[in-house]
Amino acid sequence: MLKNLVYILLLAVLLVGCRSHKQAVTPDVVDAAAFAKLSPKKQREAVEKSFIPWQWAYIPANVAISSPASISGGGRLTMQRDSLIHLSLRVLGMEVAVLYADTDSVYAVDKFHKYFLAESLDRIMASSGLSLGDIQDLLLGQALPPAGGSPMCTATLADGVVSALDFDLGRPDIMLRCVYPAHEPTAAGPVATSTEIYGMKDDKKIAAAIRLNLGSARWNTPRSVNFSQPKGYKRIHFDALLKSLKNL
């Protein structure tokens, strides 16, 4: 009965380990051949330079989970920089789930089964040290490990963008990789058209993708985001969620 909630939370909770560092600079056009000849340090500097600061993002999205179960739905991703993330998922035009996070709390609401999770952001991100802005960067394909390197995360850079992130969660039974197959130029710089998540927990595969319709995205236009803790729903606690993940 927890499965919809668990699978939605996988997309938010499993992305751990990197921190990004953006600079308010004017982006340069990156030539792929020239980029390949740069040193790793210069490649990183070129990628960082392509990022453009933004304040608001509104992006139609599709979420598809193919393993350990098959679930898909369209939705809308709304973000205010470093302040909030709101992902609404719909199936056949009906809102079935909501993921909401701000600098204090994270909520996941399963409207079909009338369950919800509410937990502090610090509790969920305790092992990674991630901020809300870091999660936003991961969703946009703009996350980079610290300049000095990270024991938890390795970035693959190609053609002037982040093409993949590999995570070391310190456990041999868990593997996680994020792949960004393509980027498109936007008002925020190059943004990934999709985030593909591949993982393994024990002998169970995890495969999911968040695809962004960047052609219909709206940047830097304030949006009204209405969210309140649902009434009449059963609350699922974070410890129960972790126990459910172990049983997947």
Side-chain angles (χ1 to χ4, degrees):
M1 62 181 177
L2 292 177
K3 68 178 184 178
N4 282 3
L5 184 59
V6 168
Y7 297 153
I8 293 166
L9 260 290
L10 277 171
L11 302 176
V13 176
L14 288 179
L15 291 172
V16 294
C18 286
R19 300 187 64 84
S20 63
H21 302 268
K22 295 197 173 186
Q23 303 173 357
V25 295
T26 302
D28 289 338
V29 175
V30 178
D31 178 81
F35 182 84
K37 297 178 181 179
L38 296 175
S39 67
K41 179 180 178 181
K42 292 296 184 181
Q43 286 186 348
R44 178 190 173 89
E45 291 175 353
V47 171
E48 284 187 317
K49 199 174 182 181
S50 71
F51 300 152
I52 303 175
W54 54 274
Q55 292 302 315
W56 283 90
Y58 172 81
I59 311 173
N62 179 271
V63 177
I65 301 171
S66 55
S67 182
S70 180
I71 304 171
S72 65
R76 297 188 294 266
L77 175 64
T78 303
M79 300 191 294
Q80 183 180 9
R81 186 61 176 154
D82 297 321
S83 297
L84 70 84
I85 298 173
H86 183 270
L87 178 61
S88 171
L89 298 179
R90 295 176 177 272
V91 175
L92 299 176
M94 181 177 66
E95 186 176 63
V96 295
V98 175
L99 175 65
Y100 175 86
D102 58 25
T103 54
D104 295 320
S105 305
V106 176
Y107 292 87
V109 182
D110 178 345
K111 291 192 169 184
F112 187 78
H113 297 95
K114 294 189 180 297
Y115 289 98
F116 79 98
L117 177 142
E119 189 56 81
S120 71
L121 183 68
D122 288 343
R123 171 80 192 286
I124 290 181
M125 297 302 170
S127 63
S128 67
L130 287 178
S131 69
L132 195 69
D134 296 329
I135 298 300
Q136 292 173 335
D137 294 336
L138 284 163
L139 291 171
L140 298 179
Q142 293 185 340
L144 283 170
S150 169
M152 296 179 66
C153 179
T154 303
T156 300
L157 308 181
D159 299 339
V161 297
V162 180
S163 61
L165 294 169
D166 288 282
F167 300 87
D168 182 354
L169 304 183
R171 291 180 54 181
D173 59 326
I174 299 179
M175 180 275 290
L176 186 64
R177 177 177 173 85
C178 293
V179 177
Y180 304 102
H183 286 65
E184 291 183 4
T186 73
V191 170
T193 56
S194 67
T195 300
E196 297 181 358
I197 305 165
Y198 302 99
M200 182 74 71
K201 184 184 182 299
D202 299 322
D203 60 345
K204 298 180 177 66
K205 293 182 179 180
I206 298 169
I210 303 174
R211 299 181 177 87
L212 305 180
N213 182 356
L214 297 174
S216 298
R218 298 292 181 266
W219 300 92
N220 301 317
T221 300
R223 292 269 175 171
S224 176
V225 177
N226 298 314
F227 178 83
S228 60
Q229 183 170 306
K231 297 180 179 179
Y233 282 43
K234 181 178 179 180
R235 180 173 179 177
I236 303 301
H237 293 276
F238 189 53
D239 289 339
L241 172 65
L242 293 179
K243 184 177 180 179
S244 297
L245 289 175
K246 292 178 181 180
N247 295 328
L248 283 176

